[in-house]
Amino acid sequence: ALSSSGALSAPASCSGTVAGVWCESTSTSNGSLPVATENATSVVYNGYVYEIGGYTSSYTAVVDYAALSSSGTLSAPASCSGTVAGIWCESTSTANGSLPTAEDDATSVVYNGYVYEIGGDTVGVTAVVDYAPINNGGPGTTSSWTASTSTSNGSLPVATENATSVAYNGYVYEIGGSTSSGYTAVVDYAALSSSGALSAPASCSGTLVGVWCESTSTANGSLPVGTDYATSVVYNGYVYEIGGYTGSYTAVVDYASINSNGSLGAWSNAYSLPTALTSATSVVYNGYVYEIGGYTGSYTAVVDYAGLQSIPRVGYYSKLIDITGLPNNDPTPIELSLQGSAPGNPGIGSSGPGGVLVNYQFAANGCTTFNTPTTLDSGGGNQLGPTYGLTYTTNGCGVATNVGRYMLIRIILDDSQSASFPDSASSHSEVSNVTLYYHPATNFRLRIGATFSNGSLQSLDSPPTPAVP
């Protein structure tokens, strides 16, 4: 049973054997599978659970299904179009729901009354995508599967096994896996129609191959690292890829936002798993994600869970400073200091995600086009605290004089790794003060060296030293 805190507890009743909080089905009469199987896929839909394909002593095309009760126990469906084995109904032929081809290492999703089996191994890696309607022939039953055998009608751009997949908001995503070339970072997505067929998305930020849009770089949605045997879930507009194998077991959890047009945002790291593992399975429910079993160098019985209620928070801010100068005689910005707090990890793009990242650029009186941005670099990632020496060579028009009347500062506050849920004042990054030090324009200063900006008297140009180069 799942509690409101995410913890697991023993079900109110168990028709098998209680082992801690788990109820084990120890025979086909109380829920064990008709045949011991590995590398299968599974989905849940409309009160039924489905186990699809996999490997017994050979590849299998069998699809088993059983009814789910409110107490958590499995029971026999009201009718079975195949063969009853305990409480499971086995589809034993394509006429009553078995796969067109025996396979394992595929991935599957269910969406809008259809179940999809994507890629896998049929004694050779396959690009075929099969789909079938659920419940059209009675409770729990599936009809014959339709095989998409070319990219024009839905097969994958590249034959892939050991991938992971999710379906969300009218799109299906195939994530990572292995091809004949090795581990892949590619994420493919296609639109799901009311007939079950796959179709091309309205727009594609990567490369369109048949009906699939391939993300070919991290800029348009591919994974940071080629990964197979990972697991994935989708929740509240985000997709999560968990663990897997990249040449070694990895504990990394990556997530990306899902846009309304089906494309993915850039992937970021979430908190890692306690232990690096591969070949696990996962589910998400009521704001919690569960990682179940897997392989860590040996098989593991561990179940990990984490809350997903906290939305990854990244804030983007900018500040335009007009120092005010005379024509052809602009002030000279020399140092910048930002004060505040960043309780999380160091700045993004440096030694880890989280914290604060700042860049700046200049424009001049005679040229209001900004030059190329420069990023503050403290050497440690968090740009708060030190005073930084400013660097610039020309303005946005390529002129090496009068470069500094306007200064545009962009600040990224990234709390995706550090902020707690619910929000609290101590759990987020903030910038409380921005100070710019500059040499006033030669012909636009008071006798004591001060200058005005927008009618306000400015401090003397005596910045703190030493400054970070």
Side-chain angles (χ1 to χ4, degrees), residues 237 345 387 416 437:
N345 294 327
T387 300
S416 60
Y437 299 92

Side-chain angles (χ1 to χ4, degrees), residues 14 34 36 38 61 108 136 140 156 169 172 178 196 220 228 234 266 277 291 337 389 391 394 406-408 413 447:
C14 175
E38 65 177 340
S108 61
N136 68 320
L156 295 170
N169 198 29
V172 57
S178 289
N220 58 35
D228 73 349
V234 64
L277 57 78
E291 182 83 342
S337 175
T391 60
T394 65
Y406 302 100
M407 182 177 187
L408 179 61
L413 302 181
R447 183 174 300 173

Side-chain angles (χ1 to χ4, degrees), residues 395-413:
N395 61 27
C397 297
V399 179
T401 59
N402 300 309
V403 298
R405 172 175 176 175
Y406 302 100
M407 182 177 187
L408 179 61
I409 303 172
R410 290 188 174 91
I411 303 170
I412 303 175
L413 302 181

Side-chain angles (χ1 to χ4, degrees), residues 58-271:
S58 60
Y59 302 104
T60 180
V62 170
V63 177
D64 300 313
Y65 65 94
L68 297 167
S69 72
S70 58
S71 65
T73 59
L74 299 176
S75 59
S79 63
C80 174
S81 57
T83 302
V84 175
I87 57 100
W88 291 87
C89 177
E90 286 196 301
S91 58
T92 51
S93 70
T94 53
N96 58 36
S98 71
L99 293 169
T101 306
E103 66 178 338
D104 73 348
D105 290 332
T107 182
S108 61
V109 296
V110 64
Y111 190 85
N112 198 30
Y114 287 85
V115 57
Y116 299 80
E117 183 85 340
I118 303 167
D121 190 339
T122 62
V123 195
V125 183
T126 181
V128 171
V129 176
D130 302 312
Y131 65 94
I134 297 178
N135 294 344
N136 68 320
T141 58
T142 60
S143 66
S144 297
W145 294 74
T146 298
S148 302
T149 54
S150 70
T151 53
S152 62
N153 63 26
S155 71
L156 295 170
V158 178
T160 311
E161 63 180 339
N162 307 327
T164 183
S165 61
V166 295
Y168 185 80
N169 198 29
Y171 293 90
V172 57
Y173 301 82
E174 189 216 30
I175 304 166
S178 289
T179 67
S180 58
S181 300
Y183 316 124
T184 180
V186 170
V187 177
D188 301 311
Y189 66 94
L192 296 166
S193 70
S194 58
S195 68
L198 300 179
S199 60
S203 63
C204 175
S205 57
T207 301
L208 189 65
V209 181
V211 304
W212 291 88
C213 178
E214 284 196 302
S215 60
T216 50
S217 71
T218 53
N220 58 35
S222 72
L223 293 171
V225 180
T227 311
D228 73 349
Y229 285 115
T231 182
S232 63
V233 296
V234 64
Y235 185 77
N236 201 27
Y238 289 85
V239 57
Y240 298 80
E241 188 215 32
I242 306 167
Y245 192 78
T246 62
S248 61
Y249 310 123
T250 171
V252 170
V253 178
D254 297 314
Y255 66 90
S257 60
I258 301 176
N259 301 317
S260 59
N261 65 357
S263 64
L264 297 182
W267 291 83
S268 302
N269 294 138
Y271 285 114

